[in-house]
Amino acid sequence: MDILIVIIEIIVALVWIQQGIVRYQFWNDGKPGGGFVPVIFASLVLIAAVAILMREVFSKKNKETYTFQPGAFVPAAAAVLGGFMIQVLGILLSVFLFNTIWMRFLSRYSWVKTLISSVLFTAFIYGIFRMWLRVPFPSGFIFQLF
């Protein structure tokens, strides 16, 4: 079951990389394009997933001891949902909501810690990628309606 989840994560990471390069342009006129951030993060997910897959394939432990754990699908589902959220809401609102939901409901942090962390993390992403590197963020189709 763990191998199936890792394979799904690899597929999602490859789709993010493809979309970041083809649809949003990884590099545009000598500066990072809208696909820069998705390609970087998807590449990190891909590297981690391949490392986990290699560990699972070459592991010496008994493969019959696995039991079904539905919680193992949460990271893969979160990756798919994150990609969808970016398309609909844009990257900044998606990062904020994703971090808030994950910390509050999955990691069970208090609302105060969750909101402080989410605001700081979103501000960090905005400051580094939008202001300093001048990476154009996808705004999502909801905000394009206004």
Side-chain angles (χ1 to χ4, degrees), residues 16 24 38 81-91 94 138-141:
W16 280 6
Y24 294 110
L81 182 61
F84 175 74
M85 286 173 57
I86 289 171
Q87 298 293 322
V88 175
L89 301 174
I91 199 160
S94 297
S139 59
F141 77 82

Side-chain angles (χ1 to χ4, degrees), residues 37-138:
V37 173
V39 169
I40 297 299
F41 284 115
S43 298
L44 294 174
V45 169
L46 181 62
I47 291 167
V50 168
I52 292 169
L53 181 64
M54 299 297 287
R55 184 187 68 199
E56 290 295 321
V57 168
F58 296 114
S59 176
K60 301 287 185 196
K61 53 184 190 175
N62 185 0
K63 301 294 182 187
E64 296 179 21
T65 60
Y66 287 121
T67 59
F68 177 72
Q69 297 174 349
F73 283 105
V74 170
V80 172
L81 182 61
F84 175 74
M85 286 173 57
I86 289 171
Q87 298 293 322
V88 175
L89 301 174
I91 199 160
L92 288 177
L93 185 55
S94 297
V95 165
F96 177 78
L97 290 174
F98 191 83
N99 195 39
T100 300
I101 291 167
W102 191 282
M103 287 186 67
R104 180 63 185 131
F105 299 109
L106 296 174
S107 297
R108 305 202 191 280
Y109 283 96
S110 70
W111 276 110
V112 173
K113 286 182 182 179
T114 297
L115 292 175
I116 289 172
S117 173
S118 296
V119 167
L120 290 176
F121 185 70
T122 305
F124 175 78
I125 295 294
Y126 181 79
I128 295 294
F129 291 103
R130 185 69 186 111
M131 293 180 70
W132 183 38
L133 294 174
R134 300 193 192 283
V135 175
F137 287 155

